[in-house]
Amino acid sequence: MTVPIPPRWRGLLLTAPALAVVAFAGGALLLAVRGSIADGLGRGWTLSAYAGFLHDPAFADSLLLSLKIATLSTTVSAALALAVVGAVSASRRGRAALETAARATLAVPHLLAASAFGLLLSGSGIVSRLTHAVGWTDGPAGFPVLVAGPTPGAVLLTYVWKEAPFVTIMLLAAYTPAVRDLESAVRTLGAGRLRRLRHVTLPLLAPALTEACLLVFGFTFAAYEVPALLGATVPGALPVEAVELYRSVELDDRPAALALAVVIGMVIALVALAAATISRRLLRARTGS
C-alpha cells in the first residue's frame, strides 16, 4: 500500500539533499570565519589576518591570478560550448555524439586531467618533443613555458577541456525542440546565423548559460588540484596559498589560511548573487513580467 505524501513534504524531501549541502558549506564557512579572527590556537578575537592582506602585495597578486584563471576559463568554456551546440543542434546524430563525448570527458577526474596536461605541455613533454622532431623548435628551451610559467597556460587549457563539456551538457538540456522550432521559423524569414544567435538562441539559453558559468567560475576559482600541479609557485592561486599556509608548522599562519578561505567563499557568494540577479532579470524579460 502506497502512502500519499503531501505536496509540502514532497518538495521538502526533494530539496533536502541541496539543503544539507548548503548547511554543511555554511557551517564550514562559519568555522573558517571564527578561526580567521582568532590566534593560532583558536583563542581571542583579532582582525590581524585580514589586516595583513592589505599590506601584502602577494595577496593581491594571488587574488588577481585566481580571478584571471576563473574568468578566462569560464568565458572560453562558455564560448566553445555555445559554438559547438549551435553547430550540431540541427543534427540528431551530431547532438547524440556531442553529448556522449561531453559525458565521457566529465568522467575524467580533474587530478588525472591535470597530470595528463602536465605530461603533454611541460618543457620535456610530448608536445615539446613533437615540435622539436618536426623542426618547429630547437628543443625544450624553445617551447613556450605553459607549465609553472609566468602565465597559467596549462591551467587554463585543463579547465577549458574539463569545463566546456559541462557547459555543453547544460546547454543541450536547455536546447529544447521549442528553441529549434523558433530558430527554424526565424531562418525561413531570412535571418542569418548571427542574427538567430543574437535574437533567438542566446536569449532562450541565457538562464542555463548563466547558471553553468556560475558553477564553472565558482569551481575554478576555489579548486586546488590543477593550479597546484600546473601553476606557478609565485604567485600561487588563492586555494594553493590557503592550503600551504594551513599546512605550515607555524601556528600563526593558521588564521591567515582560514582568512583566505573566507575570502574565497565571499568572492563566490558575490558571483552567485550577481548570477541570481542576472537570471531573475532574464526570466522577467523573457516572460514579460
Side-chain angles (χ1 to χ4, degrees):
M1 180 178 179
T2 303
V3 179
I5 301 177
R8 180 184 304 176
W9 290 103
R10 187 183 300 116
L12 182 60
L13 290 175
L14 290 175
T15 58
L19 293 176
V21 172
V22 172
F24 180 80
L29 185 59
L30 289 177
L31 290 176
V33 171
R34 176 63 185 97
S36 67
I37 58 177
D39 60 11
L41 297 176
R43 301 174 303 189
W45 303 85
T46 177
L47 296 176
S48 58
Y50 296 96
F53 294 156
L54 300 177
H55 305 286
D56 187 6
F59 168 74
D61 294 338
S62 297
L63 178 60
L64 291 176
L65 177 62
S66 294
L67 290 173
K68 180 191 298 184
I69 291 173
T71 302
L72 291 177
S73 300
T74 304
T75 303
V76 177
S77 298
L80 286 177
L82 192 61
V84 172
V85 170
V88 306
S89 59
S91 172
R92 182 174 300 179
R93 291 184 178 179
R95 179 187 176 99
L98 177 61
E99 187 171 357
T100 301
R103 293 185 183 277
T105 305
L106 287 179
V108 180
H110 281 80
L111 186 60
L112 180 59
S115 302
F117 272 87
L119 294 175
L120 285 173
L121 303 176
S122 63
S124 58
I126 297 175
V127 177
S128 175
R129 296 180 183 183
L130 289 177
T131 56
H132 175 63
V134 299
W136 291 351
T137 59
D138 297 331
F143 188 74
V145 182
L146 300 176
V147 177
T151 59
V155 177
L156 292 174
L157 290 174
T158 304
Y159 277 144
V160 170
W161 185 78
K162 280 291 297 175
E163 306 309 328
F166 170 74
V167 182
T168 299
I169 290 179
M170 295 282 287
L171 293 181
L172 286 175
Y175 209 96
T176 60
V179 178
R180 293 193 293 270
D181 292 342
L182 285 174
E183 285 187 338
S184 300
V186 175
R187 187 186 302 113
T188 59
L189 295 175
R193 181 180 295 272
L194 291 179
R195 183 169 294 180
R196 294 197 306 269
L197 177 65
R198 178 182 177 183
H199 296 285
V200 178
T201 309
L202 272 180
L204 294 176
L205 298 184
L209 183 62
T210 302
E211 294 175 4
C213 289
L214 166 63
L215 294 174
V216 171
F217 184 94
F219 178 83
T220 54
F221 185 81
Y224 167 79
E225 307 97 323
V226 178
L229 286 176
L230 303 178
T233 305
V234 179
L238 278 186
V240 178
E241 295 293 333
V243 172
E244 293 299 323
L245 285 174
Y246 195 82
R247 295 170 56 185
S248 174
V249 296
E250 298 290 338
L251 290 179
D252 292 338
D253 292 335
R254 186 68 56 86
L258 295 175
L260 285 179
V262 173
V263 171
I264 293 172
M266 290 177 60
V267 171
I268 295 177
L270 290 175
V271 174
L273 180 61
T277 303
I278 294 173
S279 297
R280 191 179 302 111
R281 290 183 178 180
L282 289 173
L283 182 60
R284 289 178 179 177
R286 182 177 174 181
T287 58
S289 59

PDB file of all heavy atoms in Angstrom, residues 42-72:
ATOM      1  N   GLY A  42      43.324  29.372  18.261  1.00  0.00           N
ATOM      2  CA  GLY A  42      41.869  29.489  18.241  1.00  0.00           C
ATOM      3  C   GLY A  42      41.306  30.289  19.392  1.00  0.00           C
ATOM      4  O   GLY A  42      40.123  30.140  19.710  1.00  0.00           O
ATOM      5  N   ARG A  43      42.116  31.138  20.016  1.00  0.00           N
ATOM      6  CA  ARG A  43      41.654  31.922  21.161  1.00  0.00           C
ATOM      7  C   ARG A  43      41.595  33.393  20.810  1.00  0.00           C
ATOM      8  O   ARG A  43      42.331  33.885  19.957  1.00  0.00           O
ATOM      9  CB  ARG A  43      42.596  31.716  22.343  1.00  0.00           C
ATOM     10  CG  ARG A  43      42.728  30.262  22.789  1.00  0.00           C
ATOM     11  CD  ARG A  43      43.789  30.119  23.855  1.00  0.00           C
ATOM     12  NE  ARG A  43      45.098  30.610  23.405  1.00  0.00           N
ATOM     13  CZ  ARG A  43      46.216  30.447  24.081  1.00  0.00           C
ATOM     14  NH1 ARG A  43      46.200  29.811  25.251  1.00  0.00           N
ATOM     15  NH2 ARG A  43      47.367  30.921  23.606  1.00  0.00           N
ATOM     16  N   GLY A  44      40.721  34.102  21.468  1.00  0.00           N
ATOM     17  CA  GLY A  44      40.648  35.553  21.334  1.00  0.00           C
ATOM     18  C   GLY A  44      39.968  36.002  20.060  1.00  0.00           C
ATOM     19  O   GLY A  44      39.411  35.214  19.290  1.00  0.00           O
ATOM     20  N   TRP A  45      40.019  37.322  19.855  1.00  0.00           N
ATOM     21  CA  TRP A  45      39.385  37.958  18.701  1.00  0.00           C
ATOM     22  C   TRP A  45      40.340  38.986  18.135  1.00  0.00           C
ATOM     23  O   TRP A  45      40.778  39.892  18.837  1.00  0.00           O
ATOM     24  CB  TRP A  45      38.073  38.642  19.097  1.00  0.00           C
ATOM     25  CG  TRP A  45      37.089  37.720  19.738  1.00  0.00           C
ATOM     26  CD1 TRP A  45      37.019  37.370  21.048  1.00  0.00           C
ATOM     27  CD2 TRP A  45      36.052  37.009  19.082  1.00  0.00           C
ATOM     28  NE1 TRP A  45      36.003  36.495  21.269  1.00  0.00           N
ATOM     29  CE2 TRP A  45      35.368  36.249  20.062  1.00  0.00           C
ATOM     30  CE3 TRP A  45      35.602  36.933  17.753  1.00  0.00           C
ATOM     31  CZ2 TRP A  45      34.294  35.427  19.765  1.00  0.00           C
ATOM     32  CZ3 TRP A  45      34.523  36.122  17.456  1.00  0.00           C
ATOM     33  CH2 TRP A  45      33.881  35.380  18.446  1.00  0.00           C
ATOM     34  N   THR A  46      40.687  38.864  16.879  1.00  0.00           N
ATOM     35  CA  THR A  46      41.587  39.807  16.234  1.00  0.00           C
ATOM     36  C   THR A  46      41.365  39.765  14.726  1.00  0.00           C
ATOM     37  O   THR A  46      40.992  38.727  14.175  1.00  0.00           O
ATOM     38  CB  THR A  46      43.060  39.484  16.545  1.00  0.00           C
ATOM     39  OG1 THR A  46      43.893  40.398  15.829  1.00  0.00           O
ATOM     40  CG2 THR A  46      43.411  38.073  16.141  1.00  0.00           C
ATOM     41  N   LEU A  47      41.587  40.897  14.085  1.00  0.00           N
ATOM     42  CA  LEU A  47      41.479  41.001  12.627  1.00  0.00           C
ATOM     43  C   LEU A  47      42.851  41.146  11.981  1.00  0.00           C
ATOM     44  O   LEU A  47      42.968  41.633  10.855  1.00  0.00           O
ATOM     45  CB  LEU A  47      40.605  42.196  12.245  1.00  0.00           C
ATOM     46  CG  LEU A  47      39.138  42.129  12.692  1.00  0.00           C
ATOM     47  CD1 LEU A  47      38.424  43.423  12.319  1.00  0.00           C
ATOM     48  CD2 LEU A  47      38.436  40.924  12.053  1.00  0.00           C
ATOM     49  N   SER A  48      43.863  40.690  12.666  1.00  0.00           N
ATOM     50  CA  SER A  48      45.222  40.868  12.154  1.00  0.00           C
ATOM     51  C   SER A  48      45.444  40.089  10.862  1.00  0.00           C
ATOM     52  O   SER A  48      46.224  40.519  10.002  1.00  0.00           O
ATOM     53  CB  SER A  48      46.232  40.423  13.217  1.00  0.00           C
ATOM     54  OG  SER A  48      46.013  39.065  13.580  1.00  0.00           O
ATOM     55  N   ALA A  49      44.775  38.943  10.711  1.00  0.00           N
ATOM     56  CA  ALA A  49      44.950  38.168   9.477  1.00  0.00           C
ATOM     57  C   ALA A  49      44.445  38.944   8.269  1.00  0.00           C
ATOM     58  O   ALA A  49      45.093  38.976   7.212  1.00  0.00           O
ATOM     59  CB  ALA A  49      44.222  36.828   9.594  1.00  0.00           C
ATOM     60  N   TYR A  50      43.296  39.590   8.409  1.00  0.00           N
ATOM     61  CA  TYR A  50      42.754  40.375   7.296  1.00  0.00           C
ATOM     62  C   TYR A  50      43.553  41.663   7.098  1.00  0.00           C
ATOM     63  O   TYR A  50      43.746  42.100   5.963  1.00  0.00           O
ATOM     64  CB  TYR A  50      41.285  40.702   7.555  1.00  0.00           C
ATOM     65  CG  TYR A  50      40.410  39.478   7.593  1.00  0.00           C
ATOM     66  CD1 TYR A  50      40.073  38.872   8.801  1.00  0.00           C
ATOM     67  CD2 TYR A  50      39.904  38.932   6.423  1.00  0.00           C
ATOM     68  CE1 TYR A  50      39.263  37.752   8.843  1.00  0.00           C
ATOM     69  CE2 TYR A  50      39.089  37.811   6.452  1.00  0.00           C
ATOM     70  CZ  TYR A  50      38.773  37.225   7.671  1.00  0.00           C
ATOM     71  OH  TYR A  50      37.977  36.112   7.702  1.00  0.00           O
ATOM     72  N   ALA A  51      44.001  42.274   8.188  1.00  0.00           N
ATOM     73  CA  ALA A  51      44.799  43.487   8.064  1.00  0.00           C
ATOM     74  C   ALA A  51      46.124  43.204   7.362  1.00  0.00           C
ATOM     75  O   ALA A  51      46.636  44.042   6.611  1.00  0.00           O
ATOM     76  CB  ALA A  51      45.050  44.087   9.441  1.00  0.00           C
ATOM     77  N   GLY A  52      46.657  42.003   7.580  1.00  0.00           N
ATOM     78  CA  GLY A  52      47.906  41.649   6.918  1.00  0.00           C
ATOM     79  C   GLY A  52      47.765  41.568   5.413  1.00  0.00           C
ATOM     80  O   GLY A  52      48.712  41.853   4.674  1.00  0.00           O
ATOM     81  N   PHE A  53      46.583  41.174   4.920  1.00  0.00           N
ATOM     82  CA  PHE A  53      46.374  41.104   3.477  1.00  0.00           C
ATOM     83  C   PHE A  53      46.475  42.477   2.821  1.00  0.00           C
ATOM     84  O   PHE A  53      46.915  42.586   1.675  1.00  0.00           O
ATOM     85  CB  PHE A  53      45.001  40.497   3.166  1.00  0.00           C
ATOM     86  CG  PHE A  53      44.877  39.056   3.580  1.00  0.00           C
ATOM     87  CD1 PHE A  53      43.637  38.501   3.836  1.00  0.00           C
ATOM     88  CD2 PHE A  53      45.997  38.256   3.705  1.00  0.00           C
ATOM     89  CE1 PHE A  53      43.518  37.182   4.215  1.00  0.00           C
ATOM     90  CE2 PHE A  53      45.895  36.930   4.083  1.00  0.00           C
ATOM     91  CZ  PHE A  53      44.653  36.393   4.338  1.00  0.00           C
ATOM     92  N   LEU A  54      46.041  43.519   3.543  1.00  0.00           N
ATOM     93  CA  LEU A  54      46.046  44.864   2.973  1.00  0.00           C
ATOM     94  C   LEU A  54      47.457  45.374   2.720  1.00  0.00           C
ATOM     95  O   LEU A  54      47.663  46.246   1.865  1.00  0.00           O
ATOM     96  CB  LEU A  54      45.305  45.825   3.899  1.00  0.00           C
ATOM     97  CG  LEU A  54      43.828  45.488   4.163  1.00  0.00           C
ATOM     98  CD1 LEU A  54      43.233  46.483   5.146  1.00  0.00           C
ATOM     99  CD2 LEU A  54      43.036  45.478   2.861  1.00  0.00           C
ATOM    100  N   HIS A  55      48.424  44.857   3.458  1.00  0.00           N
ATOM    101  CA  HIS A  55      49.804  45.308   3.322  1.00  0.00           C
ATOM    102  C   HIS A  55      50.685  44.260   2.645  1.00  0.00           C
ATOM    103  O   HIS A  55      51.906  44.427   2.612  1.00  0.00           O
ATOM    104  CB  HIS A  55      50.386  45.637   4.703  1.00  0.00           C
ATOM    105  CG  HIS A  55      49.575  46.636   5.476  1.00  0.00           C
ATOM    106  ND1 HIS A  55      49.562  47.979   5.174  1.00  0.00           N
ATOM    107  CD2 HIS A  55      48.717  46.473   6.523  1.00  0.00           C
ATOM    108  CE1 HIS A  55      48.748  48.615   6.007  1.00  0.00           C
ATOM    109  NE2 HIS A  55      48.225  47.717   6.840  1.00  0.00           N
ATOM    110  N   ASP A  56      50.075  43.210   2.102  1.00  0.00           N
ATOM    111  CA  ASP A  56      50.844  42.140   1.469  1.00  0.00           C
ATOM    112  C   ASP A  56      50.567  42.141  -0.028  1.00  0.00           C
ATOM    113  O   ASP A  56      49.482  41.744  -0.468  1.00  0.00           O
ATOM    114  CB  ASP A  56      50.453  40.794   2.082  1.00  0.00           C
ATOM    115  CG  ASP A  56      51.336  39.665   1.575  1.00  0.00           C
ATOM    116  OD1 ASP A  56      52.300  39.955   0.848  1.00  0.00           O
ATOM    117  OD2 ASP A  56      51.051  38.496   1.899  1.00  0.00           O
ATOM    118  N   PRO A  57      51.513  42.569  -0.856  1.00  0.00           N
ATOM    119  CA  PRO A  57      51.270  42.578  -2.303  1.00  0.00           C
ATOM    120  C   PRO A  57      51.079  41.177  -2.879  1.00  0.00           C
ATOM    121  O   PRO A  57      50.458  41.027  -3.927  1.00  0.00           O
ATOM    122  CB  PRO A  57      52.529  43.252  -2.876  1.00  0.00           C
ATOM    123  CG  PRO A  57      53.536  43.241  -1.796  1.00  0.00           C
ATOM    124  CD  PRO A  57      52.820  43.127  -0.501  1.00  0.00           C
ATOM    125  N   ALA A  58      51.603  40.165  -2.189  1.00  0.00           N
ATOM    126  CA  ALA A  58      51.431  38.794  -2.687  1.00  0.00           C
ATOM    127  C   ALA A  58      49.968  38.378  -2.670  1.00  0.00           C
ATOM    128  O   ALA A  58      49.525  37.603  -3.525  1.00  0.00           O
ATOM    129  CB  ALA A  58      52.267  37.827  -1.848  1.00  0.00           C
ATOM    130  N   PHE A  59      49.194  38.893  -1.712  1.00  0.00           N
ATOM    131  CA  PHE A  59      47.773  38.564  -1.662  1.00  0.00           C
ATOM    132  C   PHE A  59      47.047  39.122  -2.881  1.00  0.00           C
ATOM    133  O   PHE A  59      46.226  38.436  -3.507  1.00  0.00           O
ATOM    134  CB  PHE A  59      47.152  39.122  -0.386  1.00  0.00           C
ATOM    135  CG  PHE A  59      45.656  39.082  -0.370  1.00  0.00           C
ATOM    136  CD1 PHE A  59      44.974  37.889  -0.199  1.00  0.00           C
ATOM    137  CD2 PHE A  59      44.917  40.251  -0.548  1.00  0.00           C
ATOM    138  CE1 PHE A  59      43.585  37.846  -0.194  1.00  0.00           C
ATOM    139  CE2 PHE A  59      43.536  40.225  -0.543  1.00  0.00           C
ATOM    140  CZ  PHE A  59      42.868  39.020  -0.374  1.00  0.00           C
ATOM    141  N   ALA A  60      47.350  40.373  -3.236  1.00  0.00           N
ATOM    142  CA  ALA A  60      46.715  40.964  -4.418  1.00  0.00           C
ATOM    143  C   ALA A  60      47.089  40.201  -5.679  1.00  0.00           C
ATOM    144  O   ALA A  60      46.238  39.968  -6.552  1.00  0.00           O
ATOM    145  CB  ALA A  60      47.115  42.437  -4.536  1.00  0.00           C
ATOM    146  N   ASP A  61      48.346  39.773  -5.788  1.00  0.00           N
ATOM    147  CA  ASP A  61      48.772  39.010  -6.959  1.00  0.00           C
ATOM    148  C   ASP A  61      48.040  37.663  -7.035  1.00  0.00           C
ATOM    149  O   ASP A  61      47.605  37.252  -8.118  1.00  0.00           O
ATOM    150  CB  ASP A  61      50.279  38.777  -6.915  1.00  0.00           C
ATOM    151  CG  ASP A  61      51.073  40.073  -7.050  1.00  0.00           C
ATOM    152  OD1 ASP A  61      50.510  41.054  -7.586  1.00  0.00           O
ATOM    153  OD2 ASP A  61      52.231  40.095  -6.610  1.00  0.00           O
ATOM    154  N   SER A  62      47.899  36.997  -5.908  1.00  0.00           N
ATOM    155  CA  SER A  62      47.202  35.713  -5.887  1.00  0.00           C
ATOM    156  C   SER A  62      45.725  35.881  -6.208  1.00  0.00           C
ATOM    157  O   SER A  62      45.136  35.077  -6.948  1.00  0.00           O
ATOM    158  CB  SER A  62      47.367  35.042  -4.523  1.00  0.00           C
ATOM    159  OG  SER A  62      48.725  34.742  -4.263  1.00  0.00           O
ATOM    160  N   LEU A  63      45.106  36.932  -5.670  1.00  0.00           N
ATOM    161  CA  LEU A  63      43.696  37.181  -5.948  1.00  0.00           C
ATOM    162  C   LEU A  63      43.476  37.467  -7.430  1.00  0.00           C
ATOM    163  O   LEU A  63      42.544  36.923  -8.053  1.00  0.00           O
ATOM    164  CB  LEU A  63      43.203  38.346  -5.099  1.00  0.00           C
ATOM    165  CG  LEU A  63      41.740  38.766  -5.300  1.00  0.00           C
ATOM    166  CD1 LEU A  63      40.801  37.616  -4.984  1.00  0.00           C
ATOM    167  CD2 LEU A  63      41.416  39.983  -4.447  1.00  0.00           C
ATOM    168  N   LEU A  64      44.316  38.310  -8.014  1.00  0.00           N
ATOM    169  CA  LEU A  64      44.190  38.622  -9.436  1.00  0.00           C
ATOM    170  C   LEU A  64      44.427  37.383 -10.293  1.00  0.00           C
ATOM    171  O   LEU A  64      43.750  37.183 -11.317  1.00  0.00           O
ATOM    172  CB  LEU A  64      45.170  39.730  -9.822  1.00  0.00           C
ATOM    173  CG  LEU A  64      44.868  41.124  -9.259  1.00  0.00           C
ATOM    174  CD1 LEU A  64      45.968  42.103  -9.647  1.00  0.00           C
ATOM    175  CD2 LEU A  64      43.521  41.618  -9.758  1.00  0.00           C
ATOM    176  N   LEU A  65      45.371  36.545  -9.897  1.00  0.00           N
ATOM    177  CA  LEU A  65      45.631  35.320 -10.649  1.00  0.00           C
ATOM    178  C   LEU A  65      44.429  34.384 -10.613  1.00  0.00           C
ATOM    179  O   LEU A  65      44.027  33.826 -11.647  1.00  0.00           O
ATOM    180  CB  LEU A  65      46.874  34.617 -10.086  1.00  0.00           C
ATOM    181  CG  LEU A  65      47.220  33.270 -10.725  1.00  0.00           C
ATOM    182  CD1 LEU A  65      47.535  33.442 -12.203  1.00  0.00           C
ATOM    183  CD2 LEU A  65      48.391  32.617 -10.003  1.00  0.00           C
ATOM    184  N   SER A  66      43.836  34.205  -9.443  1.00  0.00           N
ATOM    185  CA  SER A  66      42.662  33.336  -9.329  1.00  0.00           C
ATOM    186  C   SER A  66      41.485  33.889 -10.128  1.00  0.00           C
ATOM    187  O   SER A  66      40.754  33.135 -10.784  1.00  0.00           O
ATOM    188  CB  SER A  66      42.275  33.170  -7.860  1.00  0.00           C
ATOM    189  OG  SER A  66      43.277  32.480  -7.145  1.00  0.00           O
ATOM    190  N   LEU A  67      41.292  35.208 -10.062  1.00  0.00           N
ATOM    191  CA  LEU A  67      40.224  35.823 -10.851  1.00  0.00           C
ATOM    192  C   LEU A  67      40.480  35.669 -12.342  1.00  0.00           C
ATOM    193  O   LEU A  67      39.543  35.420 -13.124  1.00  0.00           O
ATOM    194  CB  LEU A  67      40.093  37.302 -10.490  1.00  0.00           C
ATOM    195  CG  LEU A  67      39.524  37.608  -9.105  1.00  0.00           C
ATOM    196  CD1 LEU A  67      39.603  39.099  -8.816  1.00  0.00           C
ATOM    197  CD2 LEU A  67      38.081  37.125  -8.989  1.00  0.00           C
ATOM    198  N   LYS A  68      41.729  35.803 -12.764  1.00  0.00           N
ATOM    199  CA  LYS A  68      42.060  35.640 -14.176  1.00  0.00           C
ATOM    200  C   LYS A  68      41.789  34.202 -14.627  1.00  0.00           C
ATOM    201  O   LYS A  68      41.189  33.984 -15.693  1.00  0.00           O
ATOM    202  CB  LYS A  68      43.531  35.990 -14.405  1.00  0.00           C
ATOM    203  CG  LYS A  68      43.976  35.841 -15.859  1.00  0.00           C
ATOM    204  CD  LYS A  68      45.491  35.948 -15.990  1.00  0.00           C
ATOM    205  CE  LYS A  68      45.985  37.299 -15.532  1.00  0.00           C
ATOM    206  NZ  LYS A  68      47.465  37.441 -15.742  1.00  0.00           N
ATOM    207  N   ILE A  69      42.219  33.229 -13.833  1.00  0.00           N
ATOM    208  CA  ILE A  69      42.002  31.828 -14.197  1.00  0.00           C
ATOM    209  C   ILE A  69      40.515  31.521 -14.292  1.00  0.00           C
ATOM    210  O   ILE A  69      40.043  30.919 -15.275  1.00  0.00           O
ATOM    211  CB  ILE A  69      42.688  30.910 -13.172  1.00  0.00           C
ATOM    212  CG1 ILE A  69      44.205  31.020 -13.286  1.00  0.00           C
ATOM    213  CG2 ILE A  69      42.249  29.461 -13.368  1.00  0.00           C
ATOM    214  CD1 ILE A  69      44.955  30.266 -12.204  1.00  0.00           C
ATOM    215  N   ALA A  70      39.750  31.942 -13.299  1.00  0.00           N
ATOM    216  CA  ALA A  70      38.319  31.640 -13.285  1.00  0.00           C
ATOM    217  C   ALA A  70      37.581  32.355 -14.412  1.00  0.00           C
ATOM    218  O   ALA A  70      36.726  31.764 -15.091  1.00  0.00           O
ATOM    219  CB  ALA A  70      37.724  32.017 -11.932  1.00  0.00           C
ATOM    220  N   THR A  71      37.910  33.617 -14.639  1.00  0.00           N
ATOM    221  CA  THR A  71      37.210  34.392 -15.670  1.00  0.00           C
ATOM    222  C   THR A  71      37.508  33.865 -17.064  1.00  0.00           C
ATOM    223  O   THR A  71      36.591  33.654 -17.876  1.00  0.00           O
ATOM    224  CB  THR A  71      37.595  35.870 -15.572  1.00  0.00           C
ATOM    225  OG1 THR A  71      37.284  36.359 -14.259  1.00  0.00           O
ATOM    226  CG2 THR A  71      36.836  36.692 -16.598  1.00  0.00           C
ATOM    227  N   LEU A  72      38.784  33.640 -17.372  1.00  0.00           N
ATOM    228  CA  LEU A  72      39.142  33.148 -18.696  1.00  0.00           C
ATOM    229  C   LEU A  72      38.617  31.739 -18.930  1.00  0.00           C
ATOM    230  O   LEU A  72      38.120  31.422 -20.025  1.00  0.00           O
ATOM    231  CB  LEU A  72      40.658  33.194 -18.882  1.00  0.00           C
ATOM    232  CG  LEU A  72      41.282  34.587 -18.973  1.00  0.00           C
ATOM    233  CD1 LEU A  72      42.794  34.492 -19.075  1.00  0.00           C
ATOM    234  CD2 LEU A  72      40.724  35.342 -20.171  1.00  0.00           C
TER     235      LEU A  72
END
